[in-house]
Amino acid sequence: MPTFLVQTLGCKLNQLESEAITDAFSNKGYSYNPKDESPSLIIINTCTVTSKADQKARRVIRKALRDYPCARVIVTGCYAQLNKDDIIKLETDGKGRLSVIGKDKIISHDKNDLFQFNPKKFSQHTRSFLKIQDGCDKNCTYCKIRLARGKSVSLDKDEVLSRLRILEKNHAEAVLTGVNISQYKDDGTDNIFNLSALLEYLLSGTERIAIRLSSLAPESIDERLVKVLSHPRIRPHFHLSVQSCSNIILDKMARAYNSQTVKRAAGLLRGAKNAPFLACDIIAGFPGETEIEFNETFSICKELDFAWIHVFPFSKRQGTPAFSFKNTVTESEVTKRVNLLTNLAKQGREDYVRRWLGKDVDALVEKDKLKVKDQQQNICFGTSENYLKVKIQYEGVNPPLPGSVLRCRLTNIGDFKNCDVTAVILRK
């Protein structure tokens, strides 16, 4: 039986699509074996969100061609959608082992079916993923993903519910994902059926599966959404796509909100849950960002006390308006700002964990993270409902099954490498 590997770069949507690719090839007679040293096929699912993402994709492709001289290498994903010619040039031996294929062609030839990535089995993750939306209607001046993904499209609400019900049979949790799930709308209804309506529909049509959301736009957070987010089966973990807290920079980015919107969104989300894990994205060093404007962003991020900040240095992306923007920030200054925000993020995560010590949470046991020494010490690893990486002490000979949910008490702060916090089981 031919074996294959899948390497995934980028976001949760890419992770879902890689799972679907894995499932599809498995159904065609290939054997998925991530530890195989001589696979027949390697699939690399790429990202193009930054220039570093492009560089990493090229590095991974070269390494695959070098380390697996007998394997066929297929490159897909957002970088592949926009840079086919550059990728083909990476194969220098002339053997013709490298192919660049759009994601829509890997499973079928129907280019219009953006929701064919629907895995029945998840080989690489314990949590399940459900794609409800793709593409984006925004024209943010820095973003290249919209060029690769196209305009926003949404999966029919009844099909979303049908897929979630199938996942509910075998999974405790599903992550709703897309390029911009805040733009979800089912146009097949008389009234615009948005994300809030979809969540209400899904919760009423399922019984036990928990729902976790991917990134949310600050301007999409309103009272109706907050009301549904307060449901016990919505995980207390929210991520805001903020990018900047300076109104001047937000205007240059062509974002659809201002700093007050960000503050309001954070306040509303905190009102939906008891101390939820609240994270955000920030771009440091956008063209024209002065020290004053950076300090505005830093101060508001500090004020809002995010549990984590994903910090990105500004990256010039060819084909976007910001590629030609003047008044670029020096590399040394960008690095300085990235470091300041990263340190703030680390402090925010530690402060958040400390506030949760002694409290009880549900934790989903993760697979493929157990080592022999962990089993000898009666330790397993999981992800808490509020998105903390938990190291769990258990009793007995056999570790808890991956995918099971444990009620745990958080006991001690972790090292933030292997785990955020340690815990003991209260009941299974």
Side-chain angles (χ1 to χ4, degrees):
M1 182 180 291
T3 59
F4 72 103
L5 308 178
V6 178
Q7 295 177 282
T8 308
L9 309 175
C11 65
K12 286 183 172 61
L13 182 53
N14 265 18
Q15 294 173 30
L16 165 66
E17 292 174 344
S18 288
E19 289 280 11
I21 291 168
T22 301
D23 194 35
F25 274 95
S26 297
N27 291 336
K28 292 295 183 180
Y30 284 78
S31 174
Y32 174 71
N33 185 355
K35 298 180 180 180
D36 190 356
E37 296 182 356
S38 56
S40 306
L41 176 67
I42 300 169
I43 303 163
I44 302 172
N45 193 2
T46 61
C47 173
T48 192
V49 68
T50 65
S51 59
K52 286 188 175 181
D54 291 355
Q55 292 168 12
K56 184 174 182 179
R58 291 192 293 271
R59 185 169 65 250
V60 170
I61 295 165
R62 290 193 190 98
K63 188 175 188 302
L65 290 168
R66 182 179 65 249
D67 292 353
Y68 305 100
C70 296
R72 179 85 174 179
V73 178
I74 295 178
V75 181
T76 186
C78 290
Y79 181 56
Q81 296 288 105
L82 299 175
N83 299 274
K84 179 176 180 178
D85 293 341
D86 292 341
I87 294 171
I88 290 296
K89 293 176 184 177
L90 298 177
E91 186 177 21
T92 58
D93 58 12
K95 293 183 178 180
R97 295 187 296 121
L98 179 62
S99 299
V100 183
I101 303 178
K103 293 187 295 296
D104 54 321
K105 295 180 182 179
I106 284 199
I107 298 178
S108 79
H109 296 289
D110 184 358
K111 294 184 179 181
N112 296 317
D113 186 6
L114 296 174
F115 297 98
Q116 60 189 287
F117 293 96
N118 181 32
K120 303 298 186 296
K121 178 183 177 183
F122 287 79
S123 301
Q124 302 166 54
H125 297 87
T126 305
R127 286 174 291 157
S128 60
F129 294 79
L130 176 52
K131 177 179 174 180
I132 64 170
Q133 183 273 344
D134 203 338
C136 185
D137 290 336
K138 301 295 184 183
N139 292 302
C140 301
T141 57
Y142 57 83
C143 183
K144 198 171 182 178
I145 299 300
R146 62 185 178 85
L147 303 178
R149 292 278 183 172
K151 291 292 186 180
S152 178
V153 290
S154 300
L155 184 61
D156 176 83
K157 64 181 179 64
D158 293 324
E159 181 61 22
V160 176
L161 178 58
S162 175
R163 294 184 181 190
L164 186 61
R165 283 174 171 169
I166 292 172
L167 294 176
E168 186 174 37
K169 295 177 182 177
N170 298 303
H171 296 272
E173 178 180 314
V175 182
L176 302 189
T177 187
V179 172
N180 187 343
I181 65 170
S182 293
Q183 290 183 7
Y184 179 88
K185 60 179 180 179
D186 184 339
D187 290 327
T189 56
D190 293 336
N191 299 313
I192 294 298
F193 196 92
N194 62 11
L195 180 62
S196 299
L198 176 67
L199 291 173
E200 293 167 354
Y201 185 61
L202 297 179
L203 289 167
S204 65
T206 55
E207 296 179 357
R208 62 173 185 81
I209 193 167
I211 296 173
R212 194 181 297 272
L213 303 178
S214 59
S215 186
L216 297 167
E219 70 273 21
S220 72
I221 312 301
D222 58 20
E223 284 79 5
R224 182 184 180 186
L225 180 60
V226 168
K227 183 177 180 180
V228 68
L229 293 181
S230 66
H231 192 283
R233 284 199 282 129
I234 300 290
R235 292 304 199 198
H237 162 222
F238 307 117
H239 185 281
L240 286 172
S241 180
V242 173
Q243 313 308 347
S244 176
C245 297
S246 162
N247 291 340
I248 292 175
I249 298 303
L250 287 170
D251 185 60
K252 290 180 179 179
M253 290 178 171
R255 300 292 280 176
Y257 54 87
N258 57 30
S259 60
Q260 285 302 119
T261 312
V262 175
K263 290 182 179 180
R264 180 176 182 271
L268 286 171
L269 290 174
R270 286 207 166 96
K273 296 287 185 181
N274 174 31
F277 187 105
L278 188 60
C280 74
D281 290 330
I282 295 291
I283 296 174
F286 192 81
E289 183 186 65
T290 65
E291 187 173 352
I292 292 174
E293 288 146 6
F294 170 74
N295 286 338
E296 289 176 351
T297 293
F298 185 89
S299 297
I300 291 176
C301 284
K302 186 174 182 179
E303 173 190 341
L304 296 181
D305 193 24
F306 288 110
W308 186 249
I309 304 170
H310 293 270
V311 187
F312 300 89
F314 170 72
S315 182
K316 293 177 66 174
R317 314 302 291 129
Q318 194 163 13
T320 66
F323 182 81
S324 58
F325 281 7
K326 307 299 181 183
N327 300 321
T328 56
V329 181
T330 64
E331 186 175 343
S332 60
E333 182 61 26
V334 172
T335 300
K336 173 186 172 184
R337 295 176 186 181
V338 167
N339 289 338
L340 285 170
L341 284 167
T342 300
N343 289 335
L344 181 63
K346 291 178 179 178
Q347 186 61 56
R349 195 177 192 93
E350 182 175 337
D351 290 344
Y352 182 79
V353 172
R354 288 189 185 281
R355 289 196 292 270
W356 274 88
L357 293 181
K359 297 182 179 179
D360 302 340
V361 298
D362 287 336
L364 183 72
V365 179
E366 301 283 2
K367 64 181 175 182
D368 297 332
K369 292 189 177 181
L370 283 174
K371 301 176 182 178
V372 173
K373 67 175 183 179
D374 294 330
Q375 293 176 340
Q376 292 173 344
Q377 296 174 358
N378 283 27
I379 289 171
C380 65
F381 293 86
T383 301
S384 71
E385 57 190 281
N386 56 338
Y387 207 57
L388 298 178
K389 303 305 177 185
V390 186
K391 184 177 181 179
I392 305 167
Q393 187 79 38
Y394 66 88
E395 297 179 356
V397 177
N398 299 316
L401 292 174
S404 60
V405 177
L406 305 177
R407 191 64 179 172
C408 302
R409 178 159 295 160
L410 305 181
T411 53
N412 293 290
I413 199 162
D415 59 10
F416 296 102
K417 293 180 181 178
N418 298 308
C419 70
D420 299 320
V421 64
T422 62
V424 295
I425 298 175
L426 295 178
R427 66 175 185 274
K428 293 186 179 180

